[in-house]
């Protein structure tokens, strides 16, 4: 079984071929550059997908011609994401599937992130997953293919978004989360008392907007940041985010403990953050569970995660065969509504 996955939900144009032996046969990601705008500009993203997608898919198919010749299905990110960007991927995938007389599988981007660990590791259902990136922050119990129980999500900004926005306040180019973490390395995480939104509160939701406002307010009081203060500022902010993430993760685990999750999973771009990883790793160890994160290139948006989720759905027969060339992208598509795919 070989599935081609196509991802265009935000600012990565990506495609990959994956087989049922859990091999990534070909895998190409083009990351758009929106740095000069300070964030992703939806129209520019859609145009870039339009220019890049066809040659990128062609390159993927040429990298593994034998597998490409026996495609079982085409899988495409159908939502959630930027509507214009989604349209590009969905329209292309429909045309390709039609021309090859191949089944077309609609994939929820978040389910793609959530299922990636089953491509890269031996992880059995159910498992507890935190999907944290610039666009998402979601805690879910992944119970099966097409069966995720959302335990919590951000009420405002995503975790990565908070990192990127605070990094921007400090003058780091977009997306600045990585630079913020690098700067934090030399800093004192106790130097500034940032709030810990929702920490200790019931439930598993997140809120990062107040943390961002606190960062902005503090910066106005510190007009000339020395290198040391800047590092302390980054370390203190990062510590606040890491503590909140850990607290919410612990709450989520408590709420599903009786369902015996097999692993603690972290995915999405925020998995790059060593502070957050360390906290969650230690927590998983304290619960006697493995901590699993896919390799970084599969944590950030990519085509292999969509191909794999499509493959899991295709082999389970859990994909829609009705109106397959008439469906529209779903810019909002909650994990909770997966069964409608
Ligand atoms: O998953 P991804 O490629 O794209 C989406 O946002 O969907 O994640 C990229 C994002 C960055 O914009 C940033 O928000 C976050 O992941 N990120 C980080 C770090 N590196 C990337 N957040 C915290 N610490 C990092 N080192
Ligand atoms: Zn993503």
């Amino acid at each position: 079984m070989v599935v081609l996955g196509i991802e265009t939900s935000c600012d990565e144009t990506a495609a990959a071929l994956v087989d049922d032996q859990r091999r990534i046969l070909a895998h190409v990601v083009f990351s758009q550059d929106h740095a000069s705008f300070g964030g992703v500009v939806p129209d520019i993203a859609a145009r870039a997908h339009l220019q890049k997608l066809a040659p990128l898919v062609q390159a993927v198919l040429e990298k593994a011609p034998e597998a490409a010749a026996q495609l079982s299905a085409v899988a495409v990110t159908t939502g959630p994401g930027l509507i214009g960007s989604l349209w590009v991927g969905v329209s292309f995938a429909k045309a390709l599937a039609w021309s090859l007389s191949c089944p077309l599988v609609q994939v929820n981007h978040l389910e793609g992130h959530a299922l990636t660990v089953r491509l890269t590791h031996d992880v059995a259902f159910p498992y507890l997953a935190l999907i944290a990136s610039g666009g998402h922050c979601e805690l879910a119990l992944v119970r099966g293919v097409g069966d995720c129980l959302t335990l919590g999500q951000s009420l405002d900004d995503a975790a990565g978004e908070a990192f990127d926005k605070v990094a921007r306040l400090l003058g780091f180019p977009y997306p600045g989360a990585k630079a913020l973490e690098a700067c934090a390395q030399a800093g004192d995480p106790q130097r500034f008392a940032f709030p810990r939104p929702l920490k200790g509160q019931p439930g598993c939701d997140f809120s990062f907007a107040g943390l961002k406002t606190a960062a902005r307010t503090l910066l106005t009081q510190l007009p000339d940041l020395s290198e040391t203060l800047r590092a302390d500022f980054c370390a203190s902010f990062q510590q606040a985010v890491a503590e909140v993430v850990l607290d919410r993760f612990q709450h989520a685990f408590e709420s599903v403990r009786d369902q015996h999750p097999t692993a603690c999973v972290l995915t999405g771009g925020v998995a790059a953050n060593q502070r957050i990883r360390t906290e969650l790793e230690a927590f998983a160890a304290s619960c006697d569970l493995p901590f699993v994160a896919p390799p970084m290139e599969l944590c950030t948006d990519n085509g292999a995660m969509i191909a794999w989720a499509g493959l899991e759905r295709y082999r389970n027969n859990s994909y829609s065969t009705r109106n397959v060339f008439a469906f529209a992208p779903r810019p909002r598509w909650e994990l909770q509504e997966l069964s409608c795919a």
Side-chain angles (χ1 to χ4, degrees):
M1 213 176 263
V2 179
V3 175
L4 170 72
I6 293 175
E7 158 63 35
T8 62
S9 67
C10 189
D11 58 344
E12 259 88 29
T13 314
L17 281 170
V18 166
D19 74 4
D20 57 353
Q21 302 302 304
R22 305 201 316 202
R23 287 181 301 201
I24 300 175
L25 307 165
H27 160 58
V28 180
V29 180
F30 171 75
S31 294
Q32 302 172 10
D33 182 2
H34 292 257
S36 56
F37 310 105
V40 179
V41 183
D43 267 17
I44 294 175
R47 276 166 195 256
H49 288 306
L50 211 44
Q51 286 173 331
K52 289 286 172 193
L53 184 59
L56 191 143
V57 169
Q58 195 171 8
V60 164
L61 297 176
E62 282 170 4
K63 274 179 186 235
E66 279 179 27
Q70 39 161 323
L71 268 192
S72 315
V74 174
V76 63
T77 305
T78 305
L82 301 172
I83 184 70
S85 293
L86 290 168
W87 269 125
V88 176
V90 164
S91 304
F92 184 88
K94 282 185 186 183
L96 187 66
W98 182 75
S99 69
L100 297 172
S101 304
C102 211
L104 181 57
V105 184
Q106 301 174 46
V107 173
N108 177 295
H109 180 87
L110 295 169
E111 187 179 32
H113 276 303
L115 293 177
T116 307
V117 278
R118 290 171 47 81
L119 167 65
T120 59
H121 295 77
D122 288 315
V123 180
F125 298 123
Y127 52 90
L128 181 58
L130 171 61
I131 305 159
S133 69
H136 341 281
C137 190
E138 188 123 359
L139 268 163
L141 184 69
V142 187
R143 297 186 291 205
V145 177
D147 183 14
C148 280
L149 175 68
T150 300
L151 304 167
Q153 53 192 317
S154 182
L155 305 174
D156 38 61
D157 294 345
E161 188 180 0
F163 270 100
D164 289 335
K165 285 180 173 169
V166 170
R168 192 179 175 189
L169 293 175
L170 291 164
F172 295 120
Y174 177 86
K178 194 175 168 192
L180 191 154
E181 182 181 13
C183 182
Q185 295 229 309
D188 171 6
Q190 311 302 336
R191 177 74 174 74
F192 298 109
F194 281 100
R196 269 66 170 157
L198 297 182
K199 184 177 172 187
Q201 303 291 314
C204 317
D205 286 336
F206 301 84
S207 169
F208 294 106
L211 197 46
K212 183 184 64 192
T213 308
R216 188 184 292 119
T217 309
L218 183 57
L219 274 181
T220 58
Q221 295 158 5
L222 300 165
D224 295 314
L225 273 187
S226 67
E227 275 306 300
T228 311
L229 276 184
R230 199 175 161 83
D232 292 348
F233 184 95
C234 290
S236 302
F237 171 77
Q238 178 174 261
Q239 183 61 27
V241 176
E243 278 182 31
V244 166
V245 168
L246 173 64
D247 176 78
R248 305 287 78 194
F249 201 94
Q250 284 171 328
H251 275 233
F253 179 77
E254 285 312 322
S255 72
V256 298
R257 184 193 276 274
D258 58 353
Q259 295 180 56
H260 308 293
T262 65
C264 295
V265 169
L266 173 64
T267 188
V270 177
N273 189 279
Q274 201 48 54
R275 181 80 246 129
I276 292 175
R277 280 181 97 102
T278 306
E279 298 283 4
L280 296 185
E281 229 165 337
F283 173 69
S286 75
C287 303
D288 251 342
L289 287 178
F291 169 80
V292 191
M296 241 1 260
E297 62 172 333
L298 298 180
C299 278
T300 53
D301 291 351
N302 65 87
M305 72 186 211
I306 303 306
W308 177 253
L311 192 148
E312 291 238 51
R313 278 187 169 265
Y314 177 69
R315 73 176 168 198
N316 267 22
N317 243 338
S318 55
Y319 67 103
S320 173
T321 47
R322 279 185 303 126
N323 298 329
V324 82
F325 295 119
F327 73 88
R330 302 172 66 173
R332 288 197 186 80
W333 185 8
E334 303 266 333
L335 262 181
Q336 206 77 339
E337 307 162 331
L338 278 185
S339 52
C340 325

